[in-house]
């Protein structure tokens, strides 16, 4: 596993798409931060986490391109030939994705923190609340990685992987908006509202969409949903990858 992770992370650090993503997100965070700081009543959570709203689509582009080369270059087949277990190959790819989004989140937090210090933004919440928001944002990003890693490891075509990952990100966004709208009281029965609220809470986009405007108990519930979805998708992905015929 160590050798697989080392090789993946080395490949990540020389991947142009990854560093372009880092640069793009840094520029976006600075831009959003500047716009927010120009307002009189800026919240610290908005400065730190506003850029997360588009993370699903952005990561789907970068990570699908990163994963697609595994099959196109014959890397996965070679790893199996030299004796690596399929489960370790799958998990190494997943952990590499977690490492990548963690770098993105740390970069956003650093930029947001610097902007908040420069502007002397008032902090109207505890450090614990900010940390919990950061945790659910991180877990939601890991859920995205679990979904995209599932697609990339099951698909054998780079172009197909990219298309399906990007479409999935947009579908999750669309379904998030739809479930959010239908879960509002007054449109449907109470039971239907509960169903759509659950679908909204489980959706990684829904978690990121609402985590800055809910109470602490709901934040912990979103964390549990994110962990459950990640575990379910990864477990299914490992099972299917074991059965996949690698030509």
């Amino acid at each position: 596993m160590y050798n697989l992770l080392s090789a993946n992370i080395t490949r990540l650090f020389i991947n142009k798409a990854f560093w372009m993503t880092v640069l793009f997100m840094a520029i976006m965070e600075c831009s959003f931060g500047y716009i927010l700081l120009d307002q009189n009543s800026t919240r610290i959570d908005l400065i730190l986490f506003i850029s997360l709203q588009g993370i699903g689509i952005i990561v789907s582009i970068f990570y699908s391109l990163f994963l697609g080369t595994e099959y196109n270059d014959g890397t996965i087949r070679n790893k199996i030939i030299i004796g690596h277990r399929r489960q370790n190959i799958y998990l190494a790819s997943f952990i590499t994705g977690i490492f990548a989004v963690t770098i993105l989140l740390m970069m956003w937090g650093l930029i947001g923190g610097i902007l908040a210090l420069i502007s002397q933004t008032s902090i109207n919440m505890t450090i614990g609340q900010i940390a919990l928001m950061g945790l659910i944002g991180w877990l939601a990003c890991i859920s995205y990685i679990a979904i995209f890693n599932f697609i990339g490891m099951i698909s054998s075509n780079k172009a197909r992987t990219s298309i399906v990952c990007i479409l999935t990100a947009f579908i999750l966004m669309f379904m998030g908006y739809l479930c959010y709208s239908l879960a509002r009281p007054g449109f449907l029965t109470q039971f239907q509202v509960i169903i759509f609220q659950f679908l909204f809470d489980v959706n990684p986009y829904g978690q990121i969409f609402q985590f800055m405007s809910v109470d602490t108990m709901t934040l912990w519930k979103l964390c549990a949903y994110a962990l459950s979805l990640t575990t379910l998708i990864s477990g299914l992905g490992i099972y299917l990858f074991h059965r996949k015929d690698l030509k």
Side-chain angles (χ1 to χ4, degrees):
M1 174 68 82
Y2 174 80
N3 290 335
L4 288 170
L5 278 174
S6 178
N8 282 356
I9 292 176
T10 298
R11 193 161 61 87
L12 176 71
F13 281 142
I14 62 174
N15 186 277
K16 293 181 180 179
F18 171 67
W19 291 113
M20 289 178 65
T21 303
V22 171
L23 178 61
F24 175 78
M25 292 307 299
I27 293 173
M28 190 168 75
E29 175 68 18
C30 290
S31 301
F32 281 139
Y34 178 79
I35 294 171
L36 289 171
L37 292 174
D38 199 35
Q39 303 175 9
N40 293 327
S41 56
T42 300
R43 290 159 38 191
I44 185 68
D45 56 336
L46 285 176
I47 296 177
L48 291 174
F49 303 121
I50 189 64
S51 297
L52 277 177
Q53 298 301 315
I55 187 63
I57 295 172
I58 294 169
V59 171
S60 72
I61 297 172
F62 141 68
Y63 197 56
S64 62
L65 292 174
F66 178 77
L67 287 176
T69 58
E70 290 277 273
Y71 281 106
N72 275 26
D73 298 342
T75 306
I76 289 183
R77 185 175 62 252
N78 292 337
K79 289 176 181 178
I80 293 175
I81 290 174
I82 63 176
H84 289 295
R85 297 174 58 193
R86 293 195 181 207
Q87 176 179 329
N88 290 344
I89 295 172
Y90 190 99
L91 290 176
S93 176
F94 175 54
I95 294 171
T96 303
I98 295 176
F99 182 76
V101 296
T102 302
I103 291 177
L104 288 175
L105 286 176
M106 291 175 64
M107 179 267 298
W108 294 334
L110 178 62
I111 293 176
I114 292 173
L115 291 174
L117 287 174
I118 292 175
S119 63
Q120 298 181 340
T121 301
S122 60
I123 301 177
N124 54 358
M125 58 183 64
T126 66
I127 299 299
Q129 289 174 312
I130 295 174
L132 184 55
M133 288 182 181
L135 176 63
I136 181 57
W138 183 60
L139 292 177
C141 288
I142 292 176
S143 294
Y144 271 124
I145 288 295
I147 294 170
F148 300 146
N149 190 61
F150 173 86
I151 295 169
M153 297 301 287
I154 300 304
S155 174
S156 303
N157 182 276
K158 182 177 181 179
R160 188 191 305 129
T161 296
S162 297
I163 292 171
V164 174
C165 284
I166 295 170
L167 282 177
T168 300
F170 276 104
I171 290 171
L172 288 171
M173 178 182 288
F174 172 77
M175 293 303 296
Y177 279 124
L178 179 63
C179 291
Y180 173 77
S181 300
L182 294 175
R184 299 307 93 195
F187 293 98
L188 302 171
T189 65
Q190 183 63 30
F191 177 75
Q192 291 172 325
V193 168
I194 292 173
I195 294 298
F196 281 109
Q197 184 64 50
F198 170 76
L199 294 175
F200 182 60
D201 291 342
V202 172
N203 187 333
Y205 180 80
Q207 294 163 7
I208 291 174
F209 183 85
Q210 63 179 314
F211 80 96
M212 289 186 289
S213 59
V214 295
D215 56 44
T216 301
M217 186 63 66
T218 303
L219 285 175
W220 284 115
K221 182 179 69 173
L222 295 179
C223 287
Y225 284 149
L227 286 171
S228 299
L229 179 63
T230 298
T231 302
L232 178 63
I233 294 294
S234 297
L236 178 61
I238 291 172
Y239 172 75
L240 294 177
F241 187 61
H242 266 291
R243 298 174 61 89
K244 182 176 176 59
D245 180 22
L246 297 174
K247 299 179 180 179

